[in-house]
Amino acid sequence: MSNRTAILLITCQDQKGLVARVSGFIHDFGGNILDSDHHTDRETGDFLMRTVFDLEGFQVPAEEIETAFRPIAKVHDMNFQIHISDRKPNVGILVSQYDHCLVDVLQRFRRGELAIEIPVIISNHQTAEWWARAFEIPFQYFPVQPGEKAKQERQVLDSLHSVGVDLVVLARYMQILTETFLQQVGCPVINIHHSFLPAFVGAKPYHQAYDRGVKIIGATAHYATAELDEGPIIEQDVVRVGHRDTVQDLIRKGRDLEVMVFARAIRLHIERRVLVYGRKTVVFD
Amino acid sequence: MSNRTAILLITCQDQKGLVARVSGFIHDFGGNILDSDHHTDRETGDFLMRTVFDLEGFQVPAEEIETAFRPIAKVHDMNFQIHISDRKPNVGILVSQYDHCLVDVLQRFRRGELAIEIPVIISNHQTAEWWARAFEIPFQYFPVQPGEKAKQERQVLDSLHSVGVDLVVLARYMQILTETFLQQVGCPVINIHHSFLPAFVGAKPYHQAYDRGVKIIGATAHYATAELDEGPIIEQDVVRVGHRDTVQDLIRKGRDLEVMVFARAIRLHIERRVLVYGRKTVVFD
Amino acid sequence: MSNRTAILLITCQDQKGLVARVSGFIHDFGGNILDSDHHTDRETGDFLMRTVFDLEGFQVPAEEIETAFRPIAKVHDMNFQIHISDRKPNVGILVSQYDHCLVDVLQRFRRGELAIEIPVIISNHQTAEWWARAFEIPFQYFPVQPGEKAKQERQVLDSLHSVGVDLVVLARYMQILTETFLQQVGCPVINIHHSFLPAFVGAKPYHQAYDRGVKIIGATAHYATAELDEGPIIEQDVVRVGHRDTVQDLIRKGRDLEVMVFARAIRLHIERRVLVYGRKTVVFD
Amino acid sequence: MSNRTAILLITCQDQKGLVARVSGFIHDFGGNILDSDHHTDRETGDFLMRTVFDLEGFQVPAEEIETAFRPIAKVHDMNFQIHISDRKPNVGILVSQYDHCLVDVLQRFRRGELAIEIPVIISNHQTAEWWARAFEIPFQYFPVQPGEKAKQERQVLDSLHSVGVDLVVLARYMQILTETFLQQVGCPVINIHHSFLPAFVGAKPYHQAYDRGVKIIGATAHYATAELDEGPIIEQDVVRVGHRDTVQDLIRKGRDLEVMVFARAIRLHIERRVLVYGRKTVVFD
């Protein structure tokens, strides 16, 4: 699979013949389907599809595929996107004081495990600067002054817009983003929440879990929406805890969970395996 | 470990020398500790201990151990219980229409995996009767007539009291037990809730989980208290779900979870491995 | 999905246009694809596909679909099978002394969770007879006399052939089946092995695991082949163990694993989600 | 628990009164037991115990505890060790080309999660040097020239001895250590093997797992012994894989497993929670 490939993402209302239509389109132009998956939600009637095909031998140039497919999309009233494999998405990272998710993404990036560019790391604290410098990534420090949250959000937005990002990831960014921010950022935002949502929404979830005496804790990666911790869930995972675990142990065990769940969610997103519909996701893994 | 053993359970405020005191007591009378575990909650100062010792060679007869230990308990202001291994607890089962947890307990019981007696199965439906008859267990049918819930609870209580039970287990019993019932039943009550508490409290948790789009579902066994789904948690477990899973699939996958979590909780309880303090448990496994 | 559906299973060498061809065939006759999945093994060039489509509105009668599809299969040199949803497969159960897997399958069957018929339970011991009678299933007892293993296998085969089975499941059947048996039985055979294969092949895997001091034990469901414990793996699962667990605890924990892995493998098989190629499986779940 | 604590580790043959003796010793000198756990292997008769007690108020100075306890140890023929909490162990890291385990340990170390010192990183490749420099740890490069493996082992030993190490960890060090090396290194050596041992011993375990078609892969941390991959297991974990996963996917998923299992094993070891007996471990977690 070293060749260039195209990923075609489709969402529409379920109709007869959709798979035949899409696979026919690719076959008719000499393409070869490498991977294809689709899902129909029988309750809502939503149809979602992800198809990967080889551009080698495909008779339509990559930049014209969108135009070529548009008539089909129109007939079936489809939303669709085409992604070409050789373009790495720009990912902006927002982080506060806890740096484990940040460091994990950086070391995966450096090792080449994540096919992304990281044009900027932005923080409301200075603790992350050491890591930014070690990994040679531009760092921006925008503290939140009392009563000036709107100004700081403006600075963050300007910084993201100036470098151009396709995705923003919140690597334990402890500021609640306003609806205005989310509307203006212009790309998806992935957050990692340190609980098994919907359990323990909001602040200090490990303390909440400790007080309730649960036997398992979790972490959840989701798209950020205006409703706190209510966005579509991309990935979750859990780990067992017991009465010997203090809150500090929960925080320590939780860090490893957060790191893994966050990294998996980013990979799933940049491989275009996640489609959102309603408040849910379909994950074609 | 075919010998008779004693299990000594202690809860008190943490003090210096408790372990030395308890192990000294056993050693001084020629006993041999087979297993011992204790826990100190550093926040609350609670001390909890479970010690198993061989009765072979122990110089105090089983029925006098309580008297022999009482002076020590008094000095340290301990709550304590002594359980002798050769007495099987009587477990009353309450069940409604879904029978998977019931059947699972019954087959473990028949195979000798659970060292219990089951003097009665009680239900507000008749569906469980087939299983009761197959396993040769007495069955009582007490339907809930509109406006006569109190009367039915009275019937259930009378039935449990007449056979004498040490534990009641709710094998998907879909009636909410009143505070009165819980006060009068006279023994612990274990419930299995079909979600990963505290997520999805109350009715139809699988439907709630489906609507929220979670990637993992769970089951929780807990002691029933007057607050619905808020009792001390004994055991939890989870299973992965995906967008292909319908509500029916969640229910099917959840059944297997419920069965396992319920069976583990019952085993932990009857082996006296669970100590409750506040709204939490310590599980010495 | 209460309608009748058809499942079309295909294996062949990978070629361009296969998905388009199959989905085109279904669409051209007015069918609606409910679920479709395929896999290409890039190393071996194997292509495997499973497509479920609604028979409601499909212009070819169920019994003629095979004939209608054969020309396409011939062009692409495909192996294919058509399964119609309203025919329940006949499953013969072989069991020895340990009865937990047997009981688990029986209670799922009785509850309607497994869409199968069970025409016969066969054992080389009499312990399973109690369960067979409780669930009202015919039981055959064929003990293995010294030096007469071939004769006993003949009896088992005759019994299976006389009732007609589509699948044989070995619910902890402790006799090694000969190559002759496997050739003559005429249907797939699913075995449950009580270890995480390929670790601990052969006898007493829990004892082997205990001696090695592993921290996790497992169970494996696989198709039986002439090479012991080497058949294509359908499903595996694991559970944590620790130094406190004796061999008896491993056996107890392992039972719950075996039951779950066995039941999942049977469900996957009867839903036609498992395709074998080489010594591996593709599981479309 | 910010106070200084002592950890007392004991192994001996099981005898009556051991717990009473040890807890009595601590209590008699005014100590307070913070945590205590013990295990008796009923087959071998081995008794293993770990007791943590507060040094605050303990009447024997830390450096004299060993002398004070020796008479008791002699009476019961115990092997014992005393560890004082404020001394961080020196951990030498050996690594080859794959750097994920190295980087993970380094970032935990820098964050203060692992209470260790890292006096040296040693490698037979130069790839790790970038990380050593970024984290400001001394780096030694000792390549293995054909026919000169003994010489290179000598260099590694000299380097470790010159800085003084309490533990050596093999962070995917791809050279097999000789028996001579293990005898002369003078401290425990922890290895991470990229399979679920004892499955897939030796080279290229992910390729072996792929070829066998397993549904779950694993990683194992164990003490290195002269027999390859046969040392006492400290920790294992697993992750699900499927037919869509290529060997490269197994390697990628396996990296995350290796990192977690390796980090947990190191933490368990430095917290003195692991006791070896025979070819097994007891892990007091």
Side-chain angles (χ1 to χ4, degrees), chain C residues 9-262:
Chain C
L9 301 179
I10 293 169
T11 58
C12 62
Q13 277 297 299
D14 192 30
Q15 304 150 59
K16 277 195 181 183
L18 289 170
V19 175
R21 186 68 108 150
V22 174
S23 53
F25 167 80
I26 295 164
H27 184 56
D28 290 349
F29 289 109
N32 193 22
I33 294 176
L34 298 174
D35 194 13
S36 177
D37 207 345
H38 56 92
H39 176 66
T40 306
D41 186 314
R42 308 239 181 266
E43 287 187 25
T44 62
D46 286 293
F47 173 88
L48 307 103
M49 187 171 187
R50 176 184 185 270
T51 304
V52 185
F53 58 98
D54 203 334
L55 286 174
E56 174 86 27
F58 195 65
Q59 294 149 358
V60 182
E63 62 278 11
E64 294 175 22
I65 297 175
E66 195 169 323
T67 309
F69 190 71
R70 196 165 297 138
I72 292 175
K74 199 170 171 191
V75 167
H76 297 282
D77 204 13
M78 294 168 171
N79 290 310
F80 77 102
Q81 304 170 41
I82 304 270
H83 298 278
I84 306 301
S85 63
D86 54 7
R87 178 169 165 343
K88 288 186 183 176
N90 269 355
V91 178
I93 304 179
L94 270 60
V95 63
S96 294
Q97 282 187 288
Y98 300 116
D99 55 17
H100 50 286
C101 288
L102 169 71
V103 180
D104 183 72
V105 170
L106 292 180
Q107 56 94 11
R108 287 175 201 271
F109 163 66
R110 188 182 147 80
R111 185 184 304 125
E113 183 181 314
L114 287 175
I116 58 175
E117 301 294 345
I118 304 179
V120 69
I121 297 169
I122 298 171
S123 183
N124 57 329
H125 288 87
Q126 285 177 299
T127 37
E129 191 164 9
W130 190 90
W131 294 107
R133 196 174 305 135
F135 285 89
E136 297 159 10
I137 313 270
F139 178 79
Q140 299 264 24
Y141 168 53
F142 299 128
V144 181
Q145 308 294 354
E148 302 204 336
K149 188 174 164 64
K151 178 184 154 198
Q152 192 256 9
E153 279 205 345
R154 192 68 256 157
Q155 291 173 316
V156 175
L157 278 174
D158 287 348
S159 172
L160 293 170
H161 290 159
S162 74
V163 296
V165 289
D166 303 292
L167 174 69
V168 169
V169 298
L170 309 179
R172 298 296 309 274
Y173 185 65
M174 308 305 274
Q175 296 291 315
I176 297 173
L177 298 175
T178 63
E179 195 163 354
T180 306
F181 182 97
L182 291 168
Q183 280 163 357
Q184 298 187 354
V185 67
C187 70
V189 176
I190 294 178
N191 184 42
I192 178 74
H193 183 75
H194 40 313
S195 87
F196 181 80
L197 288 177
F200 310 129
V201 166
K204 292 194 174 286
Y206 292 127
H207 290 76
Q208 293 182 54
Y210 179 81
D211 289 342
R212 182 62 186 91
V214 293
K215 302 302 185 189
I216 289 174
I217 57 169
T220 305
H222 63 95
Y223 289 111
T225 59
E227 286 176 278
L228 184 65
D229 300 332
E230 292 287 333
I233 293 171
I234 303 168
E235 171 67 343
Q236 301 186 288
D237 211 341
V238 296
V239 69
R240 240 165 219 286
V241 295
H243 61 264
R244 279 192 187 79
D245 291 305
T246 62
V247 171
Q248 292 310 313
D249 293 320
L250 265 53
I251 290 171
R252 173 178 54 79
K253 289 186 172 184
R255 272 200 301 263
D256 284 347
L257 267 187
E258 294 163 34
V259 153
M260 291 298 165
V261 170
F262 192 53

Side-chain angles (χ1 to χ4, degrees), chain A residues 83-138:
Chain A
H83 299 278
I84 306 300
S85 62
D86 54 7
R87 179 171 167 337
K88 289 186 183 177
N90 269 355
V91 179
I93 304 179
L94 271 60
V95 64
S96 293
Q97 282 187 287
Y98 300 117
D99 54 17
H100 50 286
C101 287
L102 170 71
V103 181
D104 183 73
V105 171
L106 292 181
Q107 57 94 11
R108 286 175 202 271
F109 164 66
R110 188 182 146 79
R111 184 184 305 123
E113 184 180 314
L114 286 175
I116 58 175
E117 302 293 346
I118 303 178
V120 68
I121 297 168
I122 298 171
S123 185
N124 57 330
H125 288 86
Q126 286 178 299
T127 38
E129 191 163 10
W130 189 90
W131 294 106
R133 195 174 307 134
F135 285 88
E136 297 159 10
I137 313 270

